[in-house]
Amino acid sequence: MKVINIVGARPNFMKMAPIIEAMNQFPDQIDHLLIHTGQHYDEKMSQSFFVDLGMPKPDINLEVGSASHAEQTARIMVEFEKVCLREKPDLVIVVGDVNSTMACTITAKKLGIKVAHVEAGLRSRDMSMPEEINRLCTDVLCDYLFTTDHFANENLRAEGVPGEKIYFVGNVMIDTLLKHKQMASQLNLMQQFGLKAQNYATLTMHRPGNVDDKGTLQGILEALTEIAQQIPIVFPIHPRTKKMVENFGLSHFFAGGQRAEGLWITEPLGYLEFLHLNMNARLVLTDSGGLQEETTVLGVPCMTMRPNTERPITCEVGTNVMVGNCKEKILFQANRLLNETVDTAGVPEKWDGKAAERIVDILLSLFET
Ligand code: UD1
């Protein structure tokens, strides 16, 4: 069975790493190639993750880089089509919901190649999110839909996907987290930054809905500045956000200095470094998807600065609270979470470190000749 595994952007790497590891257990049955579309290309957004996660170097990098959605998607399709025609895989595996996920799905399906989507069925019902469009297009085309929770199964069924295409396997991102937790706990980044466990918050923010409009971004930064008077906030800044902060002249919101105090910016961190900071944090503020899941498993209170989530299981079972992006709501919830005891989180079904093994077992049985 010849498989092409696709990665493109930062959140893909930790999802694909355990799948590759599980495939490596079957060298006689599975011949697999790793293709990086090059959607993310900065060392700290891409290569450092391969090192941290012990992933093999991609066999091919399509080097598409940044562009508008249409152009980036089109460039991936043009380049990936050449790879498919040359390599003739039996199966393409895509993960998550980035442009690379959708672009490679469309390309492979039009060539009659089977496609499996890992992390299928998540829905925010918010069509202003590019990821929601990517998720819908990907799932409607894919042959095998691997899901993380019961909401995803229900969403797919409600959209008319036949039950035999849906495989509830758990969460590959959590496979990676559980595997690396111990290693991350041994780093000394907290000391380096002058932080004490349970006495700081971490922040990620890069959604266009939060950072592409000056008024919205400024309101969020005002809220964060007030919260940072109670507790230092460490903000490994995404390149997109950095660009917008500079363009809008909002850099004055961030404290300088070598050690973390106030609202404190760092470069994007590696996987292990950021896991180390999150597992010891008092609070996580984010607009990311994956972090809602990681904090659920770590039992760390999470505030998501979005109006909706495609991962409601993290609110149902985990610590996640949706706060939107208006200043007053962010401040109100942060005060509550910092000053009240928060219920400890449960862990969703099958988020047990074995999702990738389940996926590979299923694929082996499907492609058995
Ligand atoms: C992409 C995904 C998003 C995911 C995020 C994680 C889509 C539609 N969005 O958003 O779902 O949560 O990745 O990071 O696929 N840039 C760099 N260096 C890089 C990559 C990007 O400087 O290595 C800058 C460029 O200015 C670029 C901008 O970031 O134009 C946006 O990059 P892009 O890949 O289009 O989307 P993200 O915002 O990173």
Side-chain angles (χ1 to χ4, degrees), residues 9-11 39-42 45 66 69 72 97-99 130-131 134 206-207 238-240 243:
R10 184 169 64 176
Q39 177 174 345
H40 282 177
Y41 44 85
D42 284 353
M45 297 296 287
S66 298
H69 282 268
Q72 187 178 62
D97 55 15
V98 301
N99 286 347
E131 294 82 0
N134 292 342
H206 69 280
R207 295 266 160 224
H238 188 286
R240 172 187 206 102
K243 200 165 75 178

Side-chain angles (χ1 to χ4, degrees), residues 38-89:
Q39 177 174 345
H40 282 177
Y41 44 85
D42 284 353
E43 202 273 333
K44 293 207 156 91
M45 297 296 287
S46 175
Q47 216 240 316
S48 83
F49 285 79
F50 284 75
V51 177
D52 274 8
L53 301 171
M55 275 170 87
K57 271 180 73 173
D59 297 284
I60 301 169
N61 191 321
L62 305 180
E63 293 182 352
V64 299
S66 298
S68 70
H69 282 268
E71 194 174 339
Q72 187 178 62
T73 305
R75 278 191 208 158
I76 297 169
M77 292 175 72
V78 169
E79 294 307 315
F80 185 53
E81 184 177 52
K82 295 177 197 161
V83 175
C84 288
L85 290 171
R86 193 171 64 234
E87 299 294 338
K88 300 187 174 43

Side-chain angles (χ1 to χ4, degrees), residues 240-275:
R240 172 187 206 102
T241 312
K242 185 162 187 266
K243 200 165 75 178
M244 299 319 282
V245 164
E246 287 165 1
N247 288 352
F248 293 145
L250 298 171
S251 306
H252 57 278
F253 275 100
F254 302 102
Q258 294 302 307
R259 288 160 85 81
E261 54 175 24
L263 181 53
W264 191 71
I265 280 189
T266 72
E267 291 288 298
L269 296 172
Y271 179 77
L272 293 172
E273 291 176 325
F274 198 43
L275 177 55

Side-chain angles (χ1 to χ4, degrees), residues 49-267:
F49 285 79
F50 284 75
V51 177
D52 274 8
L53 301 171
M55 275 170 87
K57 271 180 73 173
D59 297 284
I60 301 169
N61 191 321
L62 305 180
E63 293 182 352
V64 299
S66 298
S68 70
H69 282 268
E71 194 174 339
Q72 187 178 62
T73 305
R75 278 191 208 158
I76 297 169
M77 292 175 72
V78 169
E79 294 307 315
F80 185 53
E81 184 177 52
K82 295 177 197 161
V83 175
C84 288
L85 290 171
R86 193 171 64 234
E87 299 294 338
K88 300 187 174 43
D90 302 302
L91 176 71
V92 169
I93 301 186
V94 296
V95 295
D97 55 15
V98 301
N99 286 347
S100 303
T101 310
M102 178 185 71
C104 291
T105 300
I106 296 174
T107 308
K109 282 308 293 175
K110 289 208 164 182
L111 292 171
I113 301 165
K114 301 258 190 234
V115 184
H117 183 204
V118 175
E119 204 185 74
L122 301 186
R123 298 288 182 268
S124 65
R125 316 268 173 230
D126 178 353
M127 293 299 275
S128 72
M129 285 181 79
E131 294 82 0
E132 183 71 356
I133 298 170
N134 292 342
R135 290 188 280 260
L136 285 163
C137 293
T138 302
D139 286 343
V140 82
L141 292 176
C142 276
D143 301 276
Y144 312 111
L145 298 158
F146 293 108
T147 61
T148 48
D149 64 46
H150 71 90
F151 287 105
N153 300 336
E154 288 151 21
N155 290 336
L156 291 171
R157 293 307 298 267
E159 288 167 19
V161 176
E164 60 269 22
K165 286 172 82 173
I166 305 168
Y167 300 89
F168 173 34
V169 290
N171 192 327
V172 284
M173 192 166 205
I174 300 307
D175 291 4
T176 295
L177 182 144
L178 295 176
K179 180 177 171 194
H180 292 87
K181 216 174 136 188
Q182 172 67 20
M183 225 185 293
S185 71
Q186 286 161 4
L187 301 185
N188 66 355
L189 198 64
M190 259 194 308
Q191 291 87 322
Q192 247 171 275
F193 286 173
L195 296 165
K196 292 202 180 70
Q198 294 299 312
N199 203 11
Y200 64 91
T202 59
L203 164 69
T204 72
M205 179 170 56
H206 69 280
R207 295 266 160 224
N210 284 342
V211 306
D212 285 5
D213 172 73
K214 184 176 179 183
T216 308
L217 180 55
Q218 182 161 345
I220 296 174
L221 292 177
E222 283 169 5
L224 295 171
T225 306
E226 277 194 43
I227 299 165
Q229 287 168 7
Q230 285 187 59
I231 189 165
I233 301 178
V234 182
F235 182 17
I237 195 164
H238 188 286
R240 172 187 206 102
T241 312
K242 185 162 187 266
K243 200 165 75 178
M244 299 319 282
V245 164
E246 287 165 1
N247 288 352
F248 293 145
L250 298 171
S251 306
H252 57 278
F253 275 100
F254 302 102
Q258 294 302 307
R259 288 160 85 81
E261 54 175 24
L263 181 53
W264 191 71
I265 280 189
T266 72
E267 291 288 298

